[in-house]
């Protein structure tokens, strides 16, 4: 009897300990899941609504083909280069890119990014089939680039025989941009700038890196288009107000902004309005930079 009682008591204690451990494990799993959700890239909507926030959830392959209607036409030098898969793989590496905020804000950022890279690589013209804004991603290298785009730099010295002209969706230019992009993205931008025009994923990565990265005194295009950037007193005096126009100013303001109506700026706006219409979002205010001073 005593032995049975002891066995029974031991069994009861073991059962209680097992139940306690199971409870603690369950609590731990719940806590860890919360930490994973909190630490996941770009989950502002997912943590509160369960809404899918991946870039792929905003744009299917068919929609990508619709947006870049003629990019694979044989008349486009980049035909077959810019793939949907390479874009998604590159986009997934950047925290917050087209995953910040509600679905309207995310789609507007995607439309703005696509508009800017479309202008930089456009093959469209006024009477082009399907209109001038259906020809984005037609080029992967700057045409007739005679200049080496080499700025004297101790940190980013130009390699012998290398040129740093525009390549990729954002037409990455200048040795210091290739150098910084290479360090950030894990390739030798100074000694191998041609990789931006030969590897599609690297090409898209440089474009998104430029979009996401502030370079003082400029904010990032990303922070502007998601309404995170707030203009300073100096910005307001320079008429740089939140909107798509400031992203143009960031990209090429020194040549295009503050010049009144400029056909290059209007081309960017035209692409943006087309993409916003296809994605079903309003483009917002301050679309051009006609009266803005450059940064």
């Amino acid at each position: 009897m005593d032995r049975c009682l002891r066995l029974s008591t031991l069994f009861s204690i073991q059962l209680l300990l097992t139940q306690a451990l199971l409870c603690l494990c369950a609590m731990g799993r719940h806590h860890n899941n919360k930490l994973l959700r909190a630490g996941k890239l770009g989950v502002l909507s997912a943590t509160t609504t369960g809404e899918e926030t991946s870039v792929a959830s905003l744009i299917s392959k068919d929609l990508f083909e619709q947006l870049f209607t003629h990019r694979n036409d044989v008349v486009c030098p980049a035909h077959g280069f810019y793939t949907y898969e390479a874009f998604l793989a590159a986009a997934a590496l950047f925290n917050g890119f087209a995953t910040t905020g509600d679905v309207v804000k995310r789609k507007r950022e995607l439309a703005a990014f696509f508009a800017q890279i479309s202008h930089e690589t456009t093959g469209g013209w006024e009477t082009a089939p399907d209109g001038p804004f259906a020809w984005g991603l037609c080029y992967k290298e700057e045409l007739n680039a005679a200049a080496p785009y080499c700025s004297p730099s101790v940190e980013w010295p130009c390699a012998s025989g290398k040129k740093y002209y525009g390549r990729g969706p954002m037409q990455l230019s200048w040795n210091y941009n290739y150098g910084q992009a290479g360090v950030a993205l894990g390739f030798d931008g100074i000694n191998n700038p041609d990789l931006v025009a030969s590897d599609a994923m690297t090409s898209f990565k440089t474009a998104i890196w430029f979009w996401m990265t502030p370079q003082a005194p400029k904010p990032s295009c990303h922070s502007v288009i998601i309404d995170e950037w707030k203009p300073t007193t100096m910005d307001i005096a320079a008429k740089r107000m939140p909107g798509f126009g400031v992203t143009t100013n960031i990209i090429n303001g020194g040549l295009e902004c503050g010049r009144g109506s400029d056909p290059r700026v209007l081309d960017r706006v035209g692409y943006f309005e087309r993409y916003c219409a296809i994605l079903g979002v309003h483009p917002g205010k301050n679309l051009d930079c006609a009266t803005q001073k450059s940064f």
Side-chain angles (χ1 to χ4, degrees):
M1 287 291 293
D2 290 343
R3 184 171 181 272
C4 289
L5 180 59
R6 287 196 300 271
L7 287 174
S8 176
T9 302
L10 288 171
F11 178 77
S12 297
I13 294 171
Q14 185 179 26
L15 181 61
L16 287 171
L17 288 172
T18 301
Q19 289 174 337
L21 285 171
L22 287 173
C23 182
L24 286 171
C25 287
M27 289 174 65
R29 284 196 300 271
H30 177 66
H31 180 65
N32 287 336
N33 285 340
K34 285 170 66 178
L35 289 175
L36 286 169
R37 286 197 297 271
K40 187 179 176 183
L41 303 183
V43 294
L44 293 182
S45 296
T47 54
T48 55
T49 65
E51 178 185 354
E52 174 61 53
T53 59
S54 68
V55 176
S57 71
L58 298 180
I59 180 168
S60 65
K61 187 169 185 176
D62 287 344
L63 185 54
F64 189 81
E65 299 298 331
Q66 181 185 354
L67 294 170
F68 302 106
T69 312
H70 293 283
R71 81 183 193 286
N72 286 328
D73 286 15
V74 292
V75 296
C76 284
H79 65 272
F81 181 69
Y82 295 115
T83 66
Y84 172 73
E85 292 76 14
F87 167 69
L88 286 187
L93 299 175
F94 291 86
N95 180 18
F97 174 69
T99 59
T100 303
D102 61 25
V103 69
V104 172
K105 189 170 290 187
R106 291 161 50 215
K107 285 184 175 182
R108 187 178 293 117
E109 177 172 18
L110 204 56
F113 174 76
F114 283 162
Q116 295 292 9
I117 66 172
S118 290
H119 168 77
E120 296 293 335
T121 60
T122 188
W125 65 99
E126 191 63 33
T127 59
D130 299 309
F133 308 123
W135 290 79
L137 298 183
C138 192
Y139 291 88
K140 60 178 181 175
E141 294 181 278
E142 182 179 339
L143 288 176
N144 306 315
Y149 287 86
C150 176
S151 177
S153 172
V154 174
E155 188 174 9
W156 311 112
C158 300
S160 177
K162 299 298 181 181
K163 294 183 178 182
Y164 305 97
Y165 56 78
R167 295 178 179 89
M170 197 63 80
Q171 291 291 280
L172 190 71
S173 305
W174 296 99
N175 51 308
Y176 48 83
N177 280 324
Y178 276 91
Q180 291 178 80
V183 169
L185 303 174
F187 75 99
D188 190 347
I190 292 296
N191 291 296
N192 190 17
D194 294 314
L195 187 66
V196 180
S198 62
D199 181 80
M201 185 174 171
T202 299
S203 199
F204 274 121
K205 282 163 62 177
T206 62
I208 302 173
W209 168 82
F210 187 92
W211 182 264
M212 299 293 292
T213 305
Q215 295 195 34
K218 300 177 182 180
S220 70
C221 294
H222 167 73
S223 67
V224 170
I225 207 65
I226 66 167
D227 298 324
E228 180 181 76
W229 173 72
K230 305 301 179 187
T232 65
T233 302
M234 187 178 295
D235 289 316
I236 295 170
K239 299 185 178 180
R240 295 189 294 260
M241 300 302 291
F244 179 75
V246 172
T247 69
T248 298
N249 201 328
I250 292 168
I251 294 168
N252 207 27
L255 296 177
E256 298 180 23
C257 296
R259 299 169 180 266
S261 182
D262 186 293
R264 296 165 295 185
V265 175
L266 295 178
D267 188 70
R268 296 177 191 272
V269 173
Y271 270 113
F272 183 48
E273 290 178 330
R274 175 176 182 258
Y275 294 153
C276 281
I278 292 173
L279 292 171
V281 293
H282 192 278
K285 299 178 181 179
N286 305 314
L287 301 187
D288 63 53
C289 59
T291 61
Q292 295 180 17
K293 291 182 180 180
S294 61
F295 282 95

